[in-house]
Amino acid sequence: MTKGPTLIASNTVGSGTPTNITFSSIPQTYTDLLVKVSLRGTQTPNHYLGWHMDINSSTSNFTNLYLQGGGSGTPGSGSSAQYMGAIPGGGGTANTFSNSEIYIPNYTSSNYKSFSVDSTGEGNETLAFANFIAGLWSNTAAITSLTIYPDYNSGVGIAQYSTFTLYGISNS
Amino acid sequence: MAAGITYQPIQTQTLTLTASSVTFNSIPQGYTDLVVISNIKPSSSASGYGPSFQINGDTGSNYSYTLIYGNGSSAGSIRASSINYARYGSGGSTSTLEADVTHIMNYSNTTTYKTIFARFSQPSADTGAFVNLWRNTAAITLLTFYGNDGGSIAAGSTFSLYGIASA
């Protein structure tokens, strides 16, 4: 087995503005998945948007718990079903993108899938976001696809130059 | 070891039965950093503290940590000093597996104390990160992981140890 992180797939958004990016037919030969995301939404006038992730095209049975800092005051914590952090929107500082990492251990197991997300959105503004997120998809199916998208009244576009990279990590 | 290879698997342990601890010993010294991926649940609820680990069998009061956390309704930060363990997990659920990633930097050097960053994600309880310090200059050759209160870890938990090479 090739050692990891081994590149499975990557996607750089071109001049179009897709509403989501999907990694499908994910090989079942690794132990863990690692996803690196550099993401910006096109929605205006918003400076920041939330972003979400579907697993196996499912939007249900998610429990995401977050720890979030906004650049001032005391950090907050809450839960929101598919919340993965905040990304710059079209109304924010130009040319700024979020940086995020998703780690999904044992993605082929028959257990419910817990995962970890570290996500940042910084735009040299009074508001910015840093998030630690504990995610849970309460489903025993092996993960075969991941769909990532900005979420603000749905249908928000993904800005050009956003990148999505999926790696596999093997423990043997 | 080939240059540039990261996440080089060193050893994995999958618990088919409850275990009092999980140990990685004779850790090779040829990498720059270590990463431990743990997908775990403790076998009992915590009365004192959550999942912990010790280094090189050191049970002395040579550890300290700072924690930042959020539990879904509030956030906070605490620290502990001169204790006999480091921390890597939440331990807030005995039924939901948590996703923990522990980074052990410069583990083989013999001149500095060791800093360990542990990011934990327990969606049924809390999420956050520990910055641990082990006040010892010895190279790390052995890691021992425990559940809540230094106790056992439930069946179904997995631990994988990887080496990270900088060149």
Side-chain angles (χ1 to χ4, degrees), chain B residues 45-119:
Chain B
S45 299
S47 59
Y49 58 94
S52 61
F53 67 102
Q54 292 175 323
I55 300 170
N56 289 3
D58 182 6
T59 59
S61 300
N62 299 312
Y63 305 84
S64 59
Y65 70 78
T66 298
L67 160 68
I68 183 170
Y69 68 92
N71 60 17
S73 59
S74 63
S77 180
I78 60 173
R79 69 179 316 278
S81 57
S82 297
I83 55 176
N84 61 0
Y85 54 85
R87 293 285 311 276
Y88 71 96
S90 159
S93 173
T94 57
S95 57
T96 301
L97 291 164
E98 59 183 78
D100 304 324
V101 182
T102 302
H103 301 264
I104 306 170
M105 279 70 83
N106 295 314
Y107 72 103
S108 63
N109 88 66
T110 56
T111 56
T112 67
Y113 293 172
K114 306 301 183 297
T115 300
I116 301 108
F117 176 76
R119 174 76 177 85

Side-chain angles (χ1 to χ4, degrees), chain A residues 1-154:
Chain A
M1 172 62 69
T2 302
K3 308 310 178 187
T6 300
L7 177 65
I8 297 174
S10 65
N11 194 319
T12 300
V13 173
S15 56
T17 52
T19 55
N20 66 73
I21 293 295
T22 296
F23 294 112
S24 59
S25 302
I26 295 172
Q28 301 295 292
T29 50
Y30 300 97
T31 310
D32 302 339
L33 295 177
L34 172 66
V35 189
K36 292 181 180 286
V37 177
S38 176
L39 176 58
R40 177 184 177 88
T42 60
Q43 174 73 19
T44 58
N46 299 75
H47 287 222
Y48 290 95
L49 312 167
W51 64 288
H52 287 187
M53 179 177 73
D54 298 346
I55 297 178
N56 292 2
S57 300
S58 173
T59 60
S60 58
N61 300 313
F62 284 89
T63 307
N64 288 16
L65 186 156
Y66 62 83
L67 167 61
Q68 179 169 277
S72 63
T74 304
S77 184
S79 58
S80 181
Q82 286 183 275
Y83 183 65
M84 300 287 278
I87 61 171
T93 304
N95 301 316
T96 56
F97 292 75
S98 65
N99 278 293
S100 305
E101 182 173 293
I102 308 163
Y103 199 98
I104 309 174
N106 297 316
Y107 71 103
T108 64
S109 81
S110 57
N111 295 317
Y112 289 176
K113 309 302 183 299
S114 57
F115 53 92
S116 174
V117 185
D118 296 346
S119 181
T120 63
E122 164 59 40
N124 191 37
E125 303 182 69
T126 54
L127 184 62
F129 290 96
N131 274 281
F132 285 165
I133 292 171
L136 177 68
W137 184 48
S138 299
N139 193 303
T140 59
I143 294 175
T144 59
S145 76
L146 299 172
T147 301
I148 293 168
Y149 53 96
D151 187 74
Y152 181 81
N153 293 332
S154 71

